[in-house]
Amino acid sequence: MLTIDNPVYVRPEARQQILDTLLANKIPAAYGLRVGVRGGGCGASWLLGLDLAGPSDEVYNVEGVQVIIDRKHLLYVLGAEIGYESGGYTVDKPPSVR
């Protein structure tokens, strides 16, 4: 279910990959998955990475993963589904929340 408490959905395979990465690389618990958008000449692209929260960020616990979203990006990422396939992470945004 999508709520402001869970602005994005982390699929089980992505959740496991994120947690495994944090553990394998001994990344401190203060880090989380940053989800955002990056503007460009032909449109926006997704921004995913491990990061520390800053003063303009909101932090959510989504499926056991700390998710960090800059307040300015919240409207754009709301409803995004983060997955993982053999080639890497995927981000889908269902049409109903675009």
Side-chain angles (χ1 to χ4, degrees):
M1 170 181 272
L2 177 67
T3 66
I4 196 64
D5 293 331
N6 290 314
V8 298
Y9 175 67
V10 179
R11 294 183 185 140
E13 66 277 4
R15 176 189 178 278
Q16 192 58 54
Q17 187 67 31
I18 294 163
L19 295 176
D20 288 350
T21 299
L22 291 168
L23 183 62
N25 294 292
K26 299 179 182 169
I27 297 172
Y31 280 77
L33 178 69
R34 178 170 296 281
V35 180
V37 291
R38 180 178 304 148
C42 295
S45 60
W46 289 101
L47 172 67
L48 292 176
L50 298 176
D51 200 1
L52 291 168
S56 66
D57 294 324
E58 294 290 335
V59 180
Y60 304 91
N61 184 329
V62 179
E63 305 296 324
V65 173
Q66 181 171 279
V67 174
I68 303 166
I69 303 173
D70 187 307
R71 288 183 193 100
K72 295 179 289 191
H73 295 209
L74 187 57
L75 180 63
Y76 303 106
V77 304
L78 193 63
E81 296 180 3
I82 298 147
Y84 186 83
E85 298 174 354
S86 60
Y89 290 95
T90 62
V91 180
D92 296 312
K93 192 156 182 192
S96 62
V97 292
R98 283 189 182 150

